[in-house]
Each structure stands twice: as structure tokens, then as C-alpha cells.
Amino acid sequence: MAMLPNYDDRWQNTLHWQPQNSQQQSFQQLYEAILVANQQVNLTRITTPDDFWEKHLWDSLQGVQPWLSDLDIGAPALKVVDIGTGGGFPGLPVALVFPHWAIALMDATRKKIAALESVCATLGIANVGFLPQRAEQVAHQPVHREAYDLALLRAVGPVNTCAEYALPLLNLGGQAVLYRGQWTAEEEAGLVAILPRLGGQLLEVRSQVTPLTQGVRHTVVVTKIDRTPDKFPRLPGIPAKTPLV
Ligand code: SAH
């Protein structure tokens, strides 16, 4: 099986963090297990070592950069939900680097979640849970509503759709990290316009360039400042088909 690169200098230069040897080994095991599972279920098209390193490992972790710098000072454990996790990104790399966090991997496609369950069982990843359901359903279940400190969403749809999925799941003061590629002033204005209806507020937008291929990334961080009205998220399919405007 191909070996992942060990780009300690690139981690340091971009995120001011680098994996410990044991974490590098966990990344390698994750890579191998995802490639094996990928033969049964379509989890990812990103499979070469450099692509996996940059677009799955590095990219997943750049979204949580503020927490990486607190790792060694005993920062609190967070309850996290990765909405639309697909092949386990960004949730699985985050679970490996933050073993004290509890990460729920959510996806509407049951067979992807089943594949991730077996990957996690094989690797002994114990700080993850599995939600094979749509965000629109999970967010109306009392055990999940307003129950998370952090929601992660990468490649799940328009930003206003993502906000409608995420904010109902967050507790007050919780944050949604929206992983975006390009980010325009129009998108930002459109998001800022609808956030008050969901109880959200834009906290910051960080921009990054991916370290190997210089791709553009934006990390849009939203905080929950008010309770989300019970009518959100709307019925399954509606937030994607008709994003809030
Ligand atoms: N986050 C992963 C996968 C992106 S593909 C990555 O960045 O690599 C988008 C995934 O979101 C798909 O697996 C799809 O099944 C899931 N998804 C889309 N809408 C959803 C919803 N409303 N609730 C839960 N999962 C959803």
C-alpha cells in the first residue's frame, strides 16, 4: 500500500502544528482503510497519497486550526457533528487529532455511514458516533437539537443551506465551520442576511491556500447567539432546493 507523505514543514508553515509520530501512523491507517472501503462503497475520488494528504488530511484540519493551537493546554472537550461527512471528512481526521472530542458522523447515505463504522471499528477509533440520517431529520430530534458545540460542513451545498442544517444543532455559543473554496462578497452578504432568522452571526472568514497545489480555501465561521425557531430546518429537501434568501 502506498505511503502518505510526511510533510511536517508544511503543517508547521501553514497551521503551526504537526502530527506526532503516532498520529502520522493513524493517518496512514486511515488512508489504507478508506481505500479498502472505497472498493465497496463510493467514499472518495481523492486517492493518491499527495491528494489524500492535501485535500483530506490537511484540508480537514485547517478548518479547526484555532483549536489546534489550544491542544496542549487542556482545552475543553467538544461535542462535534460532521454534517454530510461522506467518506469521513472532515470528521475522521479531526477525531484522530482531538481524541478527547466526541464526533458524530452524519450522512444521508446509509451505506457510507455503514462503511465508516467498519473503518472505525478496524482502526479502533472510539470517539465517533454514527448518524445515518438527513440533517433535516436529526435536527428536530430532542437529543440532537441544540446539543453540539461545533458543526463541520464541507461540500454539502450552498452556504445558506449549510447554515440551515447546522444552526438548529448548535447550542448557544456553539460554532459552525463551513468549509468553502472560493468565497464571494455576494455569498457573504447573502449569508449575513439570513443568519438572524436562524439565531446565527458571522464570526469570521479565514482564507488559506492549500500547501501542495495552491488551491483557494475559505473557512466561514458562524456562531449561534439566539435560539433557532422550531420551524428550522424545513422539511427534508427544502433547504437544498430553496435555500433561505
Ligand atoms: N464532507 C465530505 C463529503 C461531501 S459530499 C467531503 O467533503 O469529502 C456531500 C455528502 O453530504 C454526501 O455524502 C451526501 O450524502 C451528504 N448529504 C447531502 N445532503 C445531506 C443532508 N441534508 N443531510 C445529511 N447528509 C447530507
Side-chain angles (χ1 to χ4, degrees):
M1 191 74 81
M3 291 299 285
L4 283 176
N6 196 340
Y7 288 135
D8 285 347
D9 50 340
R10 296 181 191 265
W11 285 118
Q12 281 295 347
N13 293 340
T14 54
L15 305 187
H16 317 295
W17 170 89
Q18 68 184 58
Q20 299 159 359
N21 287 338
S22 61
Q23 287 168 333
Q24 179 71 23
Q25 282 167 24
S26 305
F27 290 162
Q28 178 69 31
Q29 290 176 340
L30 176 66
Y31 177 48
E32 295 179 9
I34 291 286
L35 288 192
V36 169
N38 212 24
Q39 293 167 358
Q40 309 294 328
V41 182
N42 182 18
L43 293 177
T44 182
R45 288 168 17 197
I46 293 167
T47 55
T48 69
D50 268 10
D51 271 357
F52 191 91
W53 181 86
E54 181 183 61
K55 302 193 173 66
H56 281 332
L57 299 177
W58 182 87
D59 192 52
S60 292
L61 292 171
Q62 61 82 17
V64 294
Q65 183 183 6
W67 291 276
L68 285 173
S69 36
D70 295 345
L71 256 178
D72 41 5
I73 57 168
L78 299 185
K79 212 177 146 190
V80 183
V81 58
D82 178 7
I83 301 174
T85 188
F89 305 101
L92 283 179
V94 170
L96 291 174
V97 171
F98 298 88
H100 55 304
W101 289 6
I103 320 260
L105 303 175
M106 183 202 298
D107 202 284
T109 305
R110 187 167 291 271
K111 64 182 197 292
K112 291 188 186 180
I113 292 295
L116 296 180
E117 278 193 72
S118 82
V119 164
C120 291
T122 308
L123 302 191
I125 302 175
N127 58 326
V128 291
F130 304 93
L131 294 170
Q133 296 173 74
R134 299 188 64 96
E136 299 94 310
Q137 294 164 320
V138 174
H140 286 290
Q141 297 162 8
V143 284
H144 295 294
R145 194 167 183 96
E146 308 212 309
Y148 293 89
D149 303 305
L150 187 61
L152 309 174
L153 298 95
R154 190 179 78 163
V156 184
V159 74
N160 288 7
T161 303
C162 292
E164 186 171 350
Y165 293 157
L167 280 157
L169 289 161
L170 293 177
N171 53 39
L172 283 178
Q175 294 185 15
V177 173
L178 312 175
Y179 290 68
R180 314 301 298 178
Q182 299 286 351
W183 181 246
T184 64
E186 289 73 25
E187 266 179 297
E188 183 161 323
L191 175 66
V192 167
I194 62 111
L195 281 178
R197 294 165 65 188
L198 298 168
Q201 186 178 56
L202 182 63
L203 186 67
E204 64 167 341
V205 181
R206 298 194 301 273
S207 68
Q208 286 266 15
V209 173
T210 67
L212 300 184
T213 62
Q214 281 73 50
V216 177
R217 293 290 185 279
H218 288 86
T219 307
V220 177
V221 186
V222 168
T223 319
K224 177 135 156 185
I225 56 168
D226 267 320
R227 289 209 50 218
T228 306
D230 290 340
K231 66 180 179 213
F232 296 118
R234 291 166 291 163
L235 290 173
I238 304 294
K241 206 168 113 195
T242 320
L244 293 173
V245 285

PDB file of all heavy atoms in Angstrom, residues 66-78 98 100-101:
ATOM      1  N   PRO A  66      -7.950  27.014  14.841  1.00  0.00           N
ATOM      2  CA  PRO A  66      -7.905  27.700  16.139  1.00  0.00           C
ATOM      3  C   PRO A  66      -7.813  26.721  17.311  1.00  0.00           C
ATOM      4  O   PRO A  66      -7.226  27.054  18.342  1.00  0.00           O
ATOM      5  CB  PRO A  66      -9.225  28.471  16.187  1.00  0.00           C
ATOM      6  CG  PRO A  66      -9.641  28.626  14.760  1.00  0.00           C
ATOM      7  CD  PRO A  66      -9.120  27.415  14.039  1.00  0.00           C
ATOM      8  N   TRP A  67      -8.371  25.529  17.155  1.00  0.00           N
ATOM      9  CA  TRP A  67      -8.350  24.558  18.257  1.00  0.00           C
ATOM     10  C   TRP A  67      -7.036  23.777  18.284  1.00  0.00           C
ATOM     11  O   TRP A  67      -6.640  23.265  19.328  1.00  0.00           O
ATOM     12  CB  TRP A  67      -9.548  23.609  18.149  1.00  0.00           C
ATOM     13  CG  TRP A  67     -10.845  24.311  18.422  1.00  0.00           C
ATOM     14  CD1 TRP A  67     -11.403  24.547  19.652  1.00  0.00           C
ATOM     15  CD2 TRP A  67     -11.742  24.893  17.456  1.00  0.00           C
ATOM     16  NE1 TRP A  67     -12.591  25.226  19.500  1.00  0.00           N
ATOM     17  CE2 TRP A  67     -12.833  25.454  18.178  1.00  0.00           C
ATOM     18  CE3 TRP A  67     -11.735  24.995  16.063  1.00  0.00           C
ATOM     19  CZ2 TRP A  67     -13.897  26.104  17.540  1.00  0.00           C
ATOM     20  CZ3 TRP A  67     -12.801  25.637  15.436  1.00  0.00           C
ATOM     21  CH2 TRP A  67     -13.864  26.189  16.169  1.00  0.00           C
ATOM     22  N   LEU A  68      -6.349  23.691  17.139  1.00  0.00           N
ATOM     23  CA  LEU A  68      -5.047  23.005  17.109  1.00  0.00           C
ATOM     24  C   LEU A  68      -4.060  23.697  18.033  1.00  0.00           C
ATOM     25  O   LEU A  68      -3.276  23.045  18.722  1.00  0.00           O
ATOM     26  CB  LEU A  68      -4.467  22.997  15.687  1.00  0.00           C
ATOM     27  CG  LEU A  68      -5.089  22.041  14.681  1.00  0.00           C
ATOM     28  CD1 LEU A  68      -4.493  22.294  13.295  1.00  0.00           C
ATOM     29  CD2 LEU A  68      -4.889  20.599  15.089  1.00  0.00           C
ATOM     30  N   SER A  69      -4.114  25.030  18.060  1.00  0.00           N
ATOM     31  CA  SER A  69      -3.131  25.740  18.883  1.00  0.00           C
ATOM     32  C   SER A  69      -3.432  25.605  20.373  1.00  0.00           C
ATOM     33  O   SER A  69      -2.555  25.833  21.197  1.00  0.00           O
ATOM     34  CB  SER A  69      -3.063  27.217  18.466  1.00  0.00           C
ATOM     35  OG  SER A  69      -4.329  27.689  18.105  1.00  0.00           O
ATOM     36  N   ASP A  70      -4.681  25.208  20.725  1.00  0.00           N
ATOM     37  CA  ASP A  70      -5.019  25.021  22.141  1.00  0.00           C
ATOM     38  C   ASP A  70      -4.823  23.583  22.612  1.00  0.00           C
ATOM     39  O   ASP A  70      -5.075  23.266  23.767  1.00  0.00           O
ATOM     40  CB  ASP A  70      -6.506  25.355  22.389  1.00  0.00           C
ATOM     41  CG  ASP A  70      -6.806  26.823  22.144  1.00  0.00           C
ATOM     42  OD1 ASP A  70      -5.846  27.613  22.065  1.00  0.00           O
ATOM     43  OD2 ASP A  70      -7.995  27.161  22.034  1.00  0.00           O
ATOM     44  N   LEU A  71      -4.382  22.696  21.683  1.00  0.00           N
ATOM     45  CA  LEU A  71      -4.383  21.262  22.000  1.00  0.00           C
ATOM     46  C   LEU A  71      -3.571  20.919  23.240  1.00  0.00           C
ATOM     47  O   LEU A  71      -3.959  20.069  24.027  1.00  0.00           O
ATOM     48  CB  LEU A  71      -3.820  20.474  20.813  1.00  0.00           C
ATOM     49  CG  LEU A  71      -4.830  19.724  19.952  1.00  0.00           C
ATOM     50  CD1 LEU A  71      -4.115  19.049  18.801  1.00  0.00           C
ATOM     51  CD2 LEU A  71      -5.608  18.711  20.779  1.00  0.00           C
ATOM     52  N   ASP A  72      -2.427  21.594  23.400  1.00  0.00           N
ATOM     53  CA  ASP A  72      -1.543  21.196  24.504  1.00  0.00           C
ATOM     54  C   ASP A  72      -1.833  21.954  25.792  1.00  0.00           C
ATOM     55  O   ASP A  72      -1.130  21.798  26.766  1.00  0.00           O
ATOM     56  CB  ASP A  72      -0.064  21.345  24.091  1.00  0.00           C
ATOM     57  CG  ASP A  72       0.171  22.614  23.306  1.00  0.00           C
ATOM     58  OD1 ASP A  72      -0.790  23.404  23.177  1.00  0.00           O
ATOM     59  OD2 ASP A  72       1.301  22.819  22.826  1.00  0.00           O
ATOM     60  N   ILE A  73      -2.878  22.778  25.830  1.00  0.00           N
ATOM     61  CA  ILE A  73      -3.166  23.486  27.082  1.00  0.00           C
ATOM     62  C   ILE A  73      -4.483  23.008  27.694  1.00  0.00           C
ATOM     63  O   ILE A  73      -5.146  23.744  28.405  1.00  0.00           O
ATOM     64  CB  ILE A  73      -3.175  25.021  26.893  1.00  0.00           C
ATOM     65  CG1 ILE A  73      -4.184  25.440  25.819  1.00  0.00           C
ATOM     66  CG2 ILE A  73      -1.783  25.530  26.564  1.00  0.00           C
ATOM     67  CD1 ILE A  73      -4.444  26.936  25.806  1.00  0.00           C
ATOM     68  N   GLY A  74      -4.836  21.758  27.395  1.00  0.00           N
ATOM     69  CA  GLY A  74      -6.000  21.164  28.051  1.00  0.00           C
ATOM     70  C   GLY A  74      -7.303  21.874  27.748  1.00  0.00           C
ATOM     71  O   GLY A  74      -8.119  22.114  28.634  1.00  0.00           O
ATOM     72  N   ALA A  75      -7.526  22.244  26.500  1.00  0.00           N
ATOM     73  CA  ALA A  75      -8.778  22.887  26.105  1.00  0.00           C
ATOM     74  C   ALA A  75      -9.935  21.909  26.298  1.00  0.00           C
ATOM     75  O   ALA A  75      -9.739  20.698  26.279  1.00  0.00           O
ATOM     76  CB  ALA A  75      -8.680  23.339  24.653  1.00  0.00           C
ATOM     77  N   PRO A  76     -11.152  22.445  26.507  1.00  0.00           N
ATOM     78  CA  PRO A  76     -12.281  21.558  26.824  1.00  0.00           C
ATOM     79  C   PRO A  76     -12.634  20.612  25.686  1.00  0.00           C
ATOM     80  O   PRO A  76     -12.373  20.894  24.517  1.00  0.00           O
ATOM     81  CB  PRO A  76     -13.431  22.531  27.089  1.00  0.00           C
ATOM     82  CG  PRO A  76     -13.031  23.803  26.445  1.00  0.00           C
ATOM     83  CD  PRO A  76     -11.539  23.848  26.460  1.00  0.00           C
ATOM     84  N   ALA A  77     -13.228  19.495  26.068  1.00  0.00           N
ATOM     85  CA  ALA A  77     -13.710  18.527  25.086  1.00  0.00           C
ATOM     86  C   ALA A  77     -14.955  19.082  24.424  1.00  0.00           C
ATOM     87  O   ALA A  77     -15.820  19.649  25.079  1.00  0.00           O
ATOM     88  CB  ALA A  77     -14.026  17.219  25.794  1.00  0.00           C
ATOM     89  N   LEU A  78     -15.049  18.944  23.135  1.00  0.00           N
ATOM     90  CA  LEU A  78     -16.209  19.453  22.407  1.00  0.00           C
ATOM     91  C   LEU A  78     -17.046  18.305  21.878  1.00  0.00           C
ATOM     92  O   LEU A  78     -16.545  17.226  21.571  1.00  0.00           O
ATOM     93  CB  LEU A  78     -15.768  20.336  21.242  1.00  0.00           C
ATOM     94  CG  LEU A  78     -14.974  21.596  21.565  1.00  0.00           C
ATOM     95  CD1 LEU A  78     -14.725  22.403  20.302  1.00  0.00           C
ATOM     96  CD2 LEU A  78     -15.674  22.453  22.615  1.00  0.00           C
ATOM     97  N   PHE A  98      -8.091  15.049  17.794  1.00  0.00           N
ATOM     98  CA  PHE A  98      -8.729  15.501  19.039  1.00  0.00           C
ATOM     99  C   PHE A  98      -9.438  14.298  19.702  1.00  0.00           C
ATOM    100  O   PHE A  98     -10.665  14.214  19.703  1.00  0.00           O
ATOM    101  CB  PHE A  98      -9.747  16.614  18.747  1.00  0.00           C
ATOM    102  CG  PHE A  98      -9.153  17.860  18.153  1.00  0.00           C
ATOM    103  CD1 PHE A  98      -9.005  17.993  16.771  1.00  0.00           C
ATOM    104  CD2 PHE A  98      -8.724  18.911  18.974  1.00  0.00           C
ATOM    105  CE1 PHE A  98      -8.454  19.150  16.214  1.00  0.00           C
ATOM    106  CE2 PHE A  98      -8.177  20.069  18.420  1.00  0.00           C
ATOM    107  CZ  PHE A  98      -8.036  20.184  17.046  1.00  0.00           C
ATOM    108  N   HIS A 100     -10.087  13.590  22.602  1.00  0.00           N
ATOM    109  CA  HIS A 100     -10.980  13.901  23.729  1.00  0.00           C
ATOM    110  C   HIS A 100     -12.311  14.495  23.252  1.00  0.00           C
ATOM    111  O   HIS A 100     -13.213  14.697  24.059  1.00  0.00           O
ATOM    112  CB  HIS A 100     -10.276  14.853  24.704  1.00  0.00           C
ATOM    113  CG  HIS A 100      -9.763  16.113  24.063  1.00  0.00           C
ATOM    114  ND1 HIS A 100      -8.906  16.112  22.985  1.00  0.00           N
ATOM    115  CD2 HIS A 100     -10.013  17.416  24.339  1.00  0.00           C
ATOM    116  CE1 HIS A 100      -8.638  17.354  22.633  1.00  0.00           C
ATOM    117  NE2 HIS A 100      -9.300  18.165  23.425  1.00  0.00           N
ATOM    118  N   TRP A 101     -12.451  14.796  21.978  1.00  0.00           N
ATOM    119  CA  TRP A 101     -13.728  15.285  21.446  1.00  0.00           C
ATOM    120  C   TRP A 101     -14.610  14.089  21.078  1.00  0.00           C
ATOM    121  O   TRP A 101     -14.108  13.002  20.766  1.00  0.00           O
ATOM    122  CB  TRP A 101     -13.503  16.133  20.187  1.00  0.00           C
ATOM    123  CG  TRP A 101     -12.869  17.468  20.429  1.00  0.00           C
ATOM    124  CD1 TRP A 101     -12.372  17.951  21.604  1.00  0.00           C
ATOM    125  CD2 TRP A 101     -12.641  18.488  19.440  1.00  0.00           C
ATOM    126  NE1 TRP A 101     -11.856  19.223  21.397  1.00  0.00           N
ATOM    127  CE2 TRP A 101     -12.010  19.569  20.093  1.00  0.00           C
ATOM    128  CE3 TRP A 101     -12.908  18.598  18.064  1.00  0.00           C
ATOM    129  CZ2 TRP A 101     -11.649  20.742  19.420  1.00  0.00           C
ATOM    130  CZ3 TRP A 101     -12.547  19.757  17.393  1.00  0.00           C
ATOM    131  CH2 TRP A 101     -11.924  20.824  18.078  1.00  0.00           C
TER     132      TRP A 101
END
